[in-house]
Amino acid sequence: MSTATLPRTRPKGRDNPSPAGAAPKRRRTGWWLLLAPILVFDVVLFLTPLGKLVASSFADNAYQRVLEDPLVVRSLVNTLTISLASTLVTVALGYVIAVVLCNAGNVMRVVLFAVVLLPFWTGILVKNFAWAVLLQDNGIINAFLRGIGLTDAPVELLHNRFAVIVGMVHCLLPYAVFPIFSSLTSIDDRLGLAARSLGATEASVFRRITLPLSAPGVSAAGLLVFIISTGFFITPVVMGGPGDMMIANQIDYYARQLTDFSGAAALAVVLTVMVSILVAVYQRVLKAGGQHEDN
């Protein structure tokens, strides 16, 4: 028999070739299966309680009651002013530390990073009580001020707004250092060298090159620090006075002291909306900073 008359056989496994779009569909289905536990986790432990919180906030005319409460208005003002002051101080200190980190040697940079990360390694109560020991009337700082003759009586450094800002800045400093440090390290060193070769001073290089190019990192750090600072609860209680109550403390007061859960839910929703708006702005700033670096 001639080989020309033999039937042509197909390779095994290719009798029913799959359409071109089958593999991508299987891959997409696999991704959904991998995301399913996370989605279930979010729905059960986040979205469901959040939905119940929002639903309870509309009971008993809660929004009108809490927004007409002078203490709530005062706590909202305190939250904005304390958070803004803490953000400004934190970003300023964070910028200085980030510049020092950029110019430090390898060993010194490791040491400074350890110092910056130290607040992450201790609990917030430990940090607050440590500052309370330092700032109290018979603490180290007042003893030093009396020792050098600057004051005869103890200076009130604790249980006021100054102490709250100090405690918050200590906790928030790492959140400002790292975005600014990342922005500074992305600046091309040749820009500064070119400017100095043309006669620019160090102040001019900083004002015209370093500061504008690091602005996205500064903006991102400021928004991140402000977002976190709006939810502080323990620091105003330990280090602040009665007039330094923030919105988180007011929510606790409504829930535990007044047992007004609908009012507490309304305040929580107000705080959530405020933070959500800030998060959206923060994401836009990050996106704008990324586009600037790409260009």
Side-chain angles (χ1 to χ4, degrees), residues 53 64 125 196-197:
L53 181 72
Q64 182 177 357
L125 276 175
R196 295 183 188 92
S197 66

Side-chain angles (χ1 to χ4, degrees), residues 39-102:
L39 295 175
V40 172
F41 181 85
D42 286 340
V43 170
V44 174
L45 297 181
F46 178 71
L47 294 180
T48 301
L50 183 61
K52 292 183 178 180
L53 181 72
V54 174
S56 62
S57 67
F58 288 99
D60 302 327
N61 202 15
Y63 286 100
Q64 182 177 357
R65 286 190 294 104
V66 299
L67 294 178
E68 290 178 353
D69 189 348
L71 291 177
V72 172
V73 176
R74 184 175 181 178
S75 65
L76 286 172
V77 174
N78 288 342
T79 301
L80 294 176
T81 54
I82 294 175
S83 299
L84 182 60
S86 301
T87 300
L88 293 176
V89 176
T90 304
V91 171
L93 289 177
Y95 200 100
V96 173
I97 296 174
V99 171
V100 173
L101 284 170
C102 289

Side-chain angles (χ1 to χ4, degrees), residues 5-6 27 39 67 77 94 97 99 101 125 132 139 143 156 158-160 178 190 197 277 283 285 294:
T5 61
L6 291 176
R27 285 197 293 268
L39 295 175
L67 294 178
V77 174
I97 296 174
V99 171
L101 284 170
L125 276 175
E156 294 184 3
L158 190 60
H159 301 308
N160 51 34
F178 291 107
R190 293 173 297 181
S197 66
I277 294 173
Q283 294 295 333
V285 169
D294 293 339

Side-chain angles (χ1 to χ4, degrees), residues 25-39:
K25 288 183 179 179
R26 284 198 298 270
R27 285 197 293 268
R28 287 197 293 269
T29 304
W31 278 112
W32 277 109
L33 291 176
L34 291 175
L35 290 175
I38 300 175
L39 295 175

Side-chain angles (χ1 to χ4, degrees), residues 106-280:
N106 293 331
V107 177
M108 183 57 65
R109 182 175 295 181
V110 172
V111 174
L112 291 176
F113 268 126
V115 173
V116 171
L117 288 171
L118 188 60
F120 281 133
W121 301 338
T122 54
I124 188 169
L125 276 175
V126 175
K127 289 178 286 191
N128 288 337
F129 280 114
W131 275 111
V133 171
L134 293 174
L135 298 175
Q136 61 185 347
D137 291 345
N138 56 349
I140 297 175
I141 296 178
N142 268 306
F144 174 76
L145 294 177
R146 291 195 300 269
I148 62 177
L150 287 180
T151 179
D152 296 329
V155 180
E156 294 184 3
L157 300 176
L158 190 60
H159 301 308
N160 51 34
R161 187 156 299 186
F162 168 77
V164 175
I165 293 173
V166 168
M168 291 176 63
V169 168
H170 185 208
C171 298
L172 295 169
L173 192 58
Y175 297 99
V177 171
F178 291 107
I180 298 174
F181 176 76
S182 177
S183 181
L184 289 173
T185 53
S186 65
I187 300 175
D188 194 343
D189 294 335
R190 293 173 297 181
L191 297 175
L193 293 175
R196 295 183 188 92
S197 66
L198 295 174
T201 61
E202 291 295 333
S204 180
V205 171
F206 175 78
R207 186 177 66 255
R208 295 177 179 270
I209 297 177
T210 305
L211 188 59
L213 293 179
S214 62
V218 174
S219 301
L223 282 173
L224 179 60
V225 169
F226 188 84
I227 289 169
I228 299 173
S229 63
T230 55
F232 265 68
F233 170 75
I234 297 177
T235 302
V237 172
V238 176
M239 304 187 67
D244 301 312
M245 181 181 294
M246 298 177 67
I247 189 66
N249 307 113
Q250 194 69 32
I251 293 172
D252 176 73
Y253 175 73
Y254 264 76
R256 298 179 58 188
Q257 302 296 327
L258 301 180
T259 61
D260 185 359
F261 297 107
S262 60
L267 286 175
V269 171
V270 171
L271 180 60
T272 303
V273 171
M274 291 172 52
V275 173
S276 299
I277 294 173
L278 291 173
V279 169

Side-chain angles (χ1 to χ4, degrees), residues 216 283-295:
Q283 294 295 333
R284 291 182 64 87
V285 169
L286 285 181
K287 184 177 179 181
Q291 291 176 352
H292 176 75
E293 291 178 359
D294 293 339
N295 293 332

